[in-house]
Amino acid sequence: MPASIDVVFTPDLLPFSDLTGKTVVVADILRATTTITFAVANGATAITPVLTPDDAFRLAADQPNTLIGGERGGMKVDGFDLGNSPREYTETVVSGWQIVLTTTNGTRTLQACRAAERVLVGSFLNLRAIVNRLAQAEGELVFACSGREGGFCTEDTVFAGACVAALAETQLTDAAEAAKILYQEHCEDLLGMLKNCYHGRSLASIGLGEDLEFCAQMDLVDVVPHLVDGRIIV
């Protein structure tokens, strides 16, 4: 069991956190970490998060058997193979392929956490698998919420709170306590929370409301993606 748990609400706060030697779980429920989780569960061999579309094009050009995925403004980038909807990353599409991914929030947060001893990728889709893995962890645990364009978002913090609530008898920071309280407020209706949060309303407004239902699914897959040498694998 972790010795302590903290929650960092936005990536802009990560520079104030020393992640050295810690386990970090990155959350971008809408939608990068949900998409990553579903992709690796469906057989994607590795996912490389990068900061910009130009980085994605450049890296993919040097790697065989590579798809490019991601978004800007919620929509697929021109020239990319895939957007950032987890529903696109089916076994038929991604099995056996590497993926280079860039998103507005999630891939930035993954990049910012590379100083940690280990970096795991969390979503509601693999909540139980994440909690089971963390229950065996030692030392300090940090949940890094991707937020929205540098700001706080409800959905990532609710996910962090769900994990905190499941990891009983662990020392919590005030931020972790707050995340747990927020989860307890929304635990009976995660889909309603996603539909009512700012980011969820934004996705629905551009025709991606079905992604909210997908991202609200609990324990759909039993994988724990982790970042190793800049690549996410199982």
Side-chain angles (χ1 to χ4, degrees), residues 11-12 14-15 17 19 24-28 32-33 36 47-56 58-59 72 99-116 118-121 144-146 226-232:
D12 285 0
L14 284 171
S17 299
L19 302 181
V24 174
V25 179
V26 174
D28 183 9
T33 59
I36 290 167
I47 298 176
T48 304
V50 297
L51 292 177
T52 70
D54 285 345
D55 291 339
R58 184 166 49 252
L59 185 59
R72 286 299 182 270
I99 300 168
V100 178
L101 185 72
T102 180
T103 69
T104 306
N105 304 299
T107 55
R108 173 190 172 205
T109 307
L110 284 160
Q111 291 277 358
C113 292
R114 292 174 69 171
R118 63 185 60 84
V119 178
L120 310 180
V121 176
C145 300
S146 298
H226 57 284
L227 185 68
V228 178
D229 296 328
R231 303 165 77 235
I232 297 168

Side-chain angles (χ1 to χ4, degrees), residues 2 7-8 10 12 20 22 26-27 35 49-50 53 64 69 97 106 112 135 137 146 165 174 179 184 189 209 226 228:
V7 177
V8 179
T10 81
D12 285 0
T20 306
K22 300 178 182 179
V26 174
T35 294
V50 297
W97 289 82
S146 298
D174 285 352
Q184 291 167 342
D189 187 11
H226 57 284
V228 178

Side-chain angles (χ1 to χ4, degrees), residues 1-232:
M1 189 69 69
S4 65
I5 304 177
D6 191 17
V7 177
V8 179
F9 294 128
T10 81
D12 285 0
L13 295 175
L14 284 171
F16 302 99
S17 299
D18 181 6
L19 302 181
T20 306
K22 300 178 182 179
T23 297
V24 174
V25 179
V26 174
D28 183 9
I29 301 305
L30 297 177
R31 299 162 288 167
T33 59
T34 302
T35 294
I36 290 167
T37 299
F38 195 57
V40 297
N42 281 328
T45 57
I47 298 176
T48 304
V50 297
L51 292 177
T52 70
D54 285 345
D55 291 339
F57 284 123
R58 184 166 49 252
L59 185 59
D62 294 331
Q63 294 183 170
N65 302 316
T66 298
L67 300 170
I68 309 176
E71 55 75 32
R72 286 299 182 270
M75 305 300 291
K76 185 176 80 169
V77 176
D78 287 345
F80 278 23
D81 301 294
L82 300 161
N84 191 32
S85 170
R87 296 178 293 121
E88 298 178 64
Y89 290 71
T90 62
E91 183 176 2
T92 301
V93 173
V94 304
S95 182
W97 289 82
Q98 300 181 86
I99 300 168
V100 178
L101 185 72
T102 180
T103 69
T104 306
N105 304 299
T107 55
R108 173 190 172 205
T109 307
L110 284 160
Q111 291 277 358
C113 292
R114 292 174 69 171
E117 181 173 331
R118 63 185 60 84
V119 178
L120 310 180
V121 176
S123 68
F124 290 120
L125 269 60
N126 67 333
L127 178 66
R128 183 180 299 276
I130 283 281
V131 168
N132 288 342
R133 178 70 60 85
L134 295 176
Q136 307 304 315
E138 298 179 351
E140 297 176 71
L141 169 62
V142 177
F143 289 89
C145 300
S146 298
R148 178 178 167 83
E149 298 178 353
F152 175 87
C153 75
T154 301
E155 66 274 11
D156 294 348
T157 304
V158 167
F159 166 78
C163 296
V164 170
L167 295 167
E169 299 181 8
T170 301
Q171 181 179 340
L172 305 180
T173 65
D174 285 352
E177 288 278 10
K180 183 172 72 170
I181 291 168
L182 193 61
Y183 165 70
Q184 291 167 342
E185 177 70 21
H186 293 287
C187 63
E188 298 298 326
D189 187 11
L190 293 176
L191 178 56
M193 178 271 297
L194 292 181
K195 288 182 175 179
N196 287 318
C197 71
Y198 183 84
H199 199 171
R201 298 196 308 272
S202 176
L203 289 173
S205 73
I206 57 174
L208 294 169
E210 288 184 49
D211 281 359
L212 307 183
E213 297 182 16
F214 192 95
C215 294
Q217 296 177 97
M218 189 80 80
D219 301 325
L220 181 66
V221 299
D222 185 24
V223 297
V224 180
H226 57 284
L227 185 68
V228 178
D229 296 328
R231 303 165 77 235
I232 297 168

